[in-house]
Amino acid sequence: MTANFFKPLAGLARNTSCTNLALTYQVRNVSLTAANIPMARYGGRHTVTMMPGDGIGPEMMSYVKEVYKHAGAPVDFETVTLDPSTDNYDDLYNAIASVKRNGCGIKGNIETKMNRPDIKSRNVEMRNELDLFVNRIHCKSQPGIKTRHEDIDIVVMRQNTEGEYAMLEHESVGGVVESLKIITEQSTERLCRYAFEWARANGRKKVTLVHKANIMKVTDGMFMQVAKRVSADYPELEHNNMIIDNCCMQLVSNPWQFDVMILTNLYGTIVTNLICGLIGGPGVISGANIGPRYAVFEPGTRNTGSSLVGMNKANPCAMLNASADLLDHLKLDYHAQLIRTAVDKTVNLDKIHTEDLGGQATSIDVVQNVLNHIKAATK
Ligand code: NAI
């Protein structure tokens, strides 16, 4: 894949009339150069930041470690704990420094308290600080999981650092509150280029841009226009656009019309959750947060699963798949394939399913089965 989407644009967004807040935001998001900074690798082993997060995160990470050990993956983890109950961000900045040092990380989700408007989401802050501008989630039906629809295969490319997640809200006068949705031409262009390049490199046929430009004519309007402009460089790929409301209905009634989708931050997370719901729920699909220099891997729908803590009931497959994506990123193809195949066989062939998939297996039953496949393949 070329690095086109990491190139700074010739002209930054023309925002002579924009507010200081928007300017600050834009400057913070100016794309970094695509310098190929080497990842930490001591004695042939990679070091990766592990952020267990809340809820079932720590339990899932213990499975990842176990699976890596049996697969012989040459990876050491630097574990960083994030505490959502503290008011300062020291833990977060430790984690960010660790990912910067190591080049990549794997994480569970970090709880964000709804009743504390003064505390920003650590998940979002991390994506912004590491410039992880795209969240890529490959939503593919699993033949062993019985769902209403079969054969869904959609790749969601979600804008991951701006839009509705700008976290710039204020009360202008009593009883009137505002939330800024910020879209920059630059970030939109690199997102679209990333999506089209990925589609081309992976033999996909169509890229659909999802928007609400009939109401948000300036913000979503620009989002749509940039995609249209970028699409001209990829004539072999069909390009269309769809309003988010209709898109949700179409996803439920005819999901097979979608191939690769580009969405703003909020539409992206809603649509990802919708599609994951169609193909097996929160415990199956992984997601990758990608930027020009760093990458962080996690379960696709980012739930904490807190109601399942200590119950040995959570489905570990989403986190194990995220751990395979991480190995792909490190170019440890053999180990990635070993783990992905073992998870695939467990879910689709042996049908060892946890309760969320209608089965009765425990988390440990699933992990044990994955380990058995790894042992058999490496004997
Ligand atoms: P949740 O953690 O309550 O999970 C939703 C449902 O999925 C629950 O029934 C849970 O048991 C189930 N579930 C989750 N993972 C599972 C697994 N591996 N196996 C089986 N079942 C599983 O999700 P909710 O309420 O959406 O989020 C909880 C917290 O995460 C909140 O604090 C929220 O702020 C934060 N969050 C943050 C996001 C972000 O990107 N910043 C995105 C979504 C949630």
Side-chain angles (χ1 to χ4, degrees), residues 37-38 49 95-104 129-130 293-294:
I37 295 184
T49 306
I96 290 168
S98 170
V99 177
K100 286 186 174 171
R101 196 162 50 239
N102 297 323
C104 60
E129 286 296 318
L130 295 171
R293 289 163 79 159
Y294 312 113

Side-chain angles (χ1 to χ4, degrees), residues 24 46 75 123 130 133 144 147 156 158 160 215 218 234 241 252 261 268 275-276 309 311 317 325 346 356 365:
T24 310
H46 294 269
V75 172
N123 300 295
L130 295 171
F133 70 91
T147 50
V156 177
R158 168 190 176 193
N160 215 19
I215 302 297
V218 178
Y234 303 84
N241 57 61
V252 175
M261 302 174 81
I275 307 175
C276 285
V309 176
M311 296 171 78
C317 293
D325 297 346
T346 298
D356 54 310
D365 292 337

Side-chain angles (χ1 to χ4, degrees), residues 297-313:
F297 300 85
E298 63 185 339
T301 59
R302 299 167 166 172
N303 314 89
T304 55
S306 16
S307 55
L308 299 172
V309 176
M311 296 171 78
N312 190 17
K313 277 186 173 176

Side-chain angles (χ1 to χ4, degrees), residues 249-260:
M249 184 174 64
Q250 296 290 329
L251 274 167
V252 175
S253 55
N254 177 17
W256 303 281
Q257 68 186 287
F258 297 100
D259 187 350
V260 174

Side-chain angles (χ1 to χ4, degrees), residues 4-15 22 24-32 127-135 157-164 181-196 209 219 222-227 229-230 262-265 290-292:
N4 274 352
F5 41 86
F6 297 143
K7 266 195 215 155
L9 285 183
L12 276 177
R14 305 157 216 99
N15 55 2
T24 310
Y25 192 83
Q26 200 173 56
V27 169
R28 193 178 65 180
N29 277 281
V30 164
S31 85
L32 301 163
R127 288 178 229 152
N128 291 345
E129 286 296 318
L130 295 171
D131 197 22
L132 304 172
F133 70 91
V134 55
N135 180 227
M157 302 287 187
R158 168 190 176 193
Q159 210 297 324
N160 215 19
T161 48
E162 56 183 31
E164 306 86 351
K181 166 170 177 168
I182 294 175
I183 296 203
T184 64
E185 192 175 358
Q186 181 194 34
S187 260
T188 308
E189 164 127 10
R190 64 179 176 166
L191 169 75
C192 293
R193 285 227 172 265
Y194 182 91
F196 277 94
L209 186 287
T219 46
M222 184 171 79
F223 197 69
M224 195 169 72
Q225 286 309 319
V226 170
R229 193 175 70 218
V230 170
I262 304 176
L263 303 103
T264 66
N265 213 330
I290 313 277

Side-chain angles (χ1 to χ4, degrees), residues 203-241:
R204 309 296 288 218
K205 303 272 178 285
K206 181 176 170 186
V207 178
T208 302
L209 186 287
V210 181
H211 66 92
K212 188 71 183 170
N214 52 329
I215 302 297
M216 283 165 266
K217 295 168 200 265
V218 178
T219 46
D220 283 23
M222 184 171 79
F223 197 69
M224 195 169 72
Q225 286 309 319
V226 170
K228 194 172 168 209
R229 193 175 70 218
V230 170
S231 74
D233 294 338
Y234 303 84
E236 78 280 20
L237 294 170
E238 185 187 341
H239 174 56
N240 68 342
N241 57 61

